[in-house]
């Protein structure tokens, strides 16, 4: 018995719009070994990782918030390294059900609050089962530049329920640098990256991103 109703799954492609806050990192191998599953850690090939909060105003299932963790690149079944989301919370059950069914993204449920203040201070908070789990406040820069991934799509691969889902995402946004003021994380809910210094931090304003239909490969037992 499952609480998922397949009739409520919204199939790809999805065209999403919203704002995002992204922190980029080079994570330490020993630290990741304590976080990742044995299979994911064995496939880890380094590269840039990230923590991102995304405030979707429009998607295949409407508006919702999302917090995700990418440890870097993991080797796919075809031998190519691709980025992978290994921890993710969203505020919508419809997003959980469709994200798992469509792209193998292991979404879990949380509640978010985002505030954008006139003093150019943005804050994001997340609660899981009523407990405070994540808080970030940033000061975005005033200069916004246009960016587009059309010439360099973002490769993503996810593994869930015995299959691998591979896709290439395309996105466009107005991008500004941002300064991190505070970052507090409960490690029992989300990877605590607060001890690491990010190599970059950006805010995407009014972005547009497309999640296409993936290529799905069953994994060998």
């Amino acid at each position: 018995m499952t609480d998922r109703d397949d009739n409520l799954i919204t199939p790809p492609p999805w065209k999403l719009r919203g704002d995002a806050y992204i922190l980029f990192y080079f994570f330490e191998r020993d630290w990741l070994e304590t976080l990742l599953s044995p299979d994911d850690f064995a496939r880890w090939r380094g590269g840039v990782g990230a923590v991102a909060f995304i405030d979707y105003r429009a998607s295949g299932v409407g508006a919702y918030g999302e917090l995700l963790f990418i440890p870097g690149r993991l080797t796919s079944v075809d031998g190519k390294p691709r980025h992978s989301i290994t921890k993710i919370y969203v505020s919508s059950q419809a997003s959980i059900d469709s994200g798992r069914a469509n792209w193998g993204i292991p979404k879990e449920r949380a509640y978010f609050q985002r505030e954008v203040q006139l003093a150019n201070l943005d804050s994001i908070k997340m609660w899981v089962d009523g407990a405070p789990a994540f808080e970030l406040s940033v000061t975005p820069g005033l200069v916004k530049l246009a960016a587009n991934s059309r010439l360099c799509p973002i490769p993503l691969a996810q593994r869930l329920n015995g299959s691998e889902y591979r896709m290439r995402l395309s996105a466009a946004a107005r991008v500004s640098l941002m300064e991190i003021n505070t970052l507090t994380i409960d490690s029992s809910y989300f990877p605590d990256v607060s001890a690491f210094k990010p190599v970059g931090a950006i805010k995407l304003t009014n972005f547009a991103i497309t999640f296409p239909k993936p290529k799905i490969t069953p994994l060998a037992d």
Side-chain angles (χ1 to χ4, degrees), residues 79-145:
K80 297 180 180 179
R82 292 179 170 86
H83 288 95
S84 183
I85 300 167
T86 58
K87 190 69 174 180
I88 179 171
Y89 290 97
V90 298
S91 61
S92 160
Q93 188 62 44
S95 175
I96 291 175
D97 294 341
S98 291
R100 285 175 168 265
N102 292 337
W103 301 287
I105 301 175
K107 297 183 177 183
E108 302 174 69
R109 191 71 179 267
Y111 173 77
F112 297 97
Q113 180 184 71
R114 176 194 175 206
E115 294 182 351
V116 179
Q117 301 179 10
L118 295 178
N120 205 35
L121 178 68
D122 297 5
S123 66
I124 297 104
K125 296 180 182 179
M126 179 180 77
W127 293 263
V128 179
D129 296 329
F134 181 94
E135 183 172 352
L136 171 68
S137 67
V138 302
T139 301
L142 297 178
V143 178
K144 298 181 178 67
L145 302 176

Side-chain angles (χ1 to χ4, degrees), residues 32-208:
L32 286 176
E33 188 174 12
T34 67
L35 292 175
L36 302 180
S37 69
D39 174 69
D40 285 347
F41 183 71
R43 296 186 297 112
W44 183 72
R45 293 298 177 267
V48 178
V51 168
F53 171 75
I54 307 170
D55 187 6
Y56 291 111
R57 291 191 297 274
S59 76
V61 292
Y64 64 93
E66 176 177 281
L67 180 70
L68 61 85
F69 174 78
I70 296 175
R73 297 177 299 169
L74 279 62
T75 302
S76 304
V77 292
D78 59 5
K80 297 180 180 179
R82 292 179 170 86
H83 288 95
S84 183
I85 300 167
T86 58
K87 190 69 174 180
I88 179 171
Y89 290 97
V90 298
S91 61
S92 160
Q93 188 62 44
S95 175
I96 291 175
D97 294 341
S98 291
R100 285 175 168 265
N102 292 337
W103 301 287
I105 301 175
K107 297 183 177 183
E108 302 174 69
R109 191 71 179 267
Y111 173 77
F112 297 97
Q113 180 184 71
R114 176 194 175 206
E115 294 182 351
V116 179
Q117 301 179 10
L118 295 178
N120 205 35
L121 178 68
D122 297 5
S123 66
I124 297 104
K125 296 180 182 179
M126 179 180 77
W127 293 263
V128 179
D129 296 329
F134 181 94
E135 183 172 352
L136 171 68
S137 67
V138 302
T139 301
L142 297 178
V143 178
K144 298 181 178 67
L145 302 176
N148 195 309
S149 69
R150 182 172 52 188
L151 299 178
C152 186
I154 305 163
L156 191 68
Q158 299 293 140
R159 290 189 177 187
L160 190 68
N161 297 332
S163 294
E164 182 176 89
Y165 302 71
R166 298 184 306 281
M167 65 219 81
R168 296 179 72 85
L169 312 182
S170 58
R174 304 287 292 180
V175 181
S176 60
L177 299 178
M178 65 184 188
E179 178 182 350
I180 301 170
N181 300 316
T182 61
L183 177 60
T184 305
I185 302 171
D186 186 332
S187 61
S188 61
Y189 295 105
F190 193 80
D192 187 0
V193 301
S194 59
F196 298 99
K197 183 177 180 180
V199 295
I202 60 173
K203 178 180 179 179
L204 307 183
T205 303
N206 195 29
F207 71 79

